[in-house]
Amino acid sequence: LDPPLSRMLIMSDEMGCSSEVLTIVSCLSGPPIWNRPRESEQQADQAREKFFVGESDHLTLWNVYDQWKRSDFSQAWCAQNFVHYKGLIKVREVRSQLIDIMKQQKMRISSCGTDQDLVRKCICGSYFHHAAKLKGIGEYVNMRTGMPCHLHPTSALFGLGYTPDYIVYHELVMTTKEYMQIVTSVDGLWLAELGPMFFSVKESYTQRIRRKQLEKEATASIIRQEAAQQAERKEKEAAEVMTATPRQSSEHVVEVGAPDATPP
């Protein structure tokens, strides 16, 4: 596996979405699954759109495999939906091998259910070096190199209705333009969290003032707590000293044989 795909699997175990990520990694490691014959290009594109997950081409791949699984791995289903049957068979084999490896490493196979943001965050944490920022309509620039890149017309994000500010992509393909293949929209804060060596969040003046105020309040709270603890320790020590001091007897002791010194 490529290092980003390996990292994606490791992160999925930590975040509880390894079942979905296993499918995505298997699809990216195998042959293409889309069938687009020249004589039926329009029908193939319409069938492909049925599987689109609006914010992610990676999740679109997972959706195709999941629907095929629900059809009991039917070959007729693949022909009807313009999907390569042999390609999906290979994906299933790769997925089975990866499951065996994960079990050997004592990694959990779990699903995130409907919380697909966990999957997108795993993808972001694995491909933050392929992050791009919106520059114009359908046009992005790589955030590290400044290279212009574009959404491919077959991407689920191309006809989304709005253009995400930040995305990560699997690879670049050069045709008439630099097109990004397999794209997922991400939150800019995820890039700063998962790739702090490359990205950081730029604070506004108001946010900076607010952060300093919170830091000042936190420091004052710590000082108050330490002062209260110190006063409590002093009170405890004083109480211990009082308890340890022996009481002096008020009775007059007279030695045997000695004259009584008690005044008359």
Side-chain angles (χ1 to χ4, degrees), residues 31-231:
I33 64 173
W34 300 111
N35 182 20
R36 195 170 184 264
R38 290 188 177 181
E39 65 276 7
S40 307
E41 289 182 352
Q42 186 175 358
Q43 293 90 328
D45 291 341
Q46 290 174 352
R48 183 172 183 169
E49 289 176 1
K50 296 178 183 177
F51 299 104
F52 280 174
V53 177
E55 297 181 323
S56 176
D57 292 331
H58 295 84
L59 284 169
T60 296
L61 294 174
W62 164 79
N63 190 29
V64 173
Y65 184 88
D66 188 60
Q67 295 295 331
W68 179 54
K69 181 180 178 181
R70 294 185 183 186
S71 73
D72 198 21
F73 306 109
S74 168
Q75 185 172 1
W77 181 92
C78 292
Q80 180 183 352
N81 291 280
F82 293 91
V83 179
H84 282 300
Y85 177 70
K86 291 183 178 179
L88 285 179
I89 290 292
K90 182 65 177 177
V91 169
R92 186 173 64 179
E93 292 175 357
V94 173
R95 191 178 190 276
S96 178
Q97 294 171 6
L98 290 175
I99 288 176
D100 292 339
I101 294 173
M102 291 183 71
K103 288 181 177 178
Q104 290 175 4
Q105 299 300 320
K106 301 187 184 303
M107 299 171 71
R108 298 171 301 166
I109 309 299
S110 55
S111 173
C112 63
T114 58
D115 190 3
Q116 295 180 343
D117 283 353
L118 291 176
V119 181
R120 292 197 297 126
K121 197 168 185 178
C122 281
I123 297 168
C124 178
S126 306
Y127 282 96
F128 58 80
H129 57 289
H130 284 174
K133 183 179 180 180
L134 181 65
K135 183 181 179 181
I137 300 176
E139 182 180 357
Y140 287 82
V141 290
N142 187 291
M143 294 180 68
R144 291 185 59 203
T145 64
M147 177 185 295
C149 40
H150 301 78
L151 289 173
H152 197 273
T154 59
S155 171
L157 279 72
F158 189 81
L160 188 59
Y162 72 95
T163 312
D165 292 331
Y166 299 93
I167 54 94
V168 293
Y169 57 88
H170 178 60
E171 61 185 0
L172 283 176
V173 176
M174 180 63 183
T175 53
T176 55
K177 298 178 181 179
E178 289 281 356
Y179 282 113
M180 300 175 288
Q181 282 200 332
I182 317 297
V183 179
T184 289
S185 65
V186 297
D187 191 326
L189 295 177
W190 296 350
L191 293 171
E193 176 187 351
L194 302 171
M197 65 291 293
F198 297 122
F199 310 108
S200 61
V201 178
K202 186 177 180 180
E203 295 179 321
S204 66
Y205 176 76
T206 305
Q207 291 173 330
R208 188 163 60 252
I209 294 297
R210 177 59 178 164
R211 177 175 57 80
K212 289 182 178 180
Q213 182 181 356
L214 291 174
E215 290 176 354
K216 186 176 180 180
E217 292 175 356
T219 303
S221 176
I222 292 173
I223 292 174
R224 287 195 300 269
Q225 290 177 2
E226 290 179 350
Q229 291 174 358
Q230 186 175 3

Side-chain angles (χ1 to χ4, degrees), residues 242-263:
M242 292 294 293
T243 304
T245 303
R247 295 181 178 179
Q248 295 182 354
S249 176
S250 60
E251 297 180 355
H252 181 67
V253 180
V254 179
E255 294 183 7
V256 177
D260 190 359
T262 305

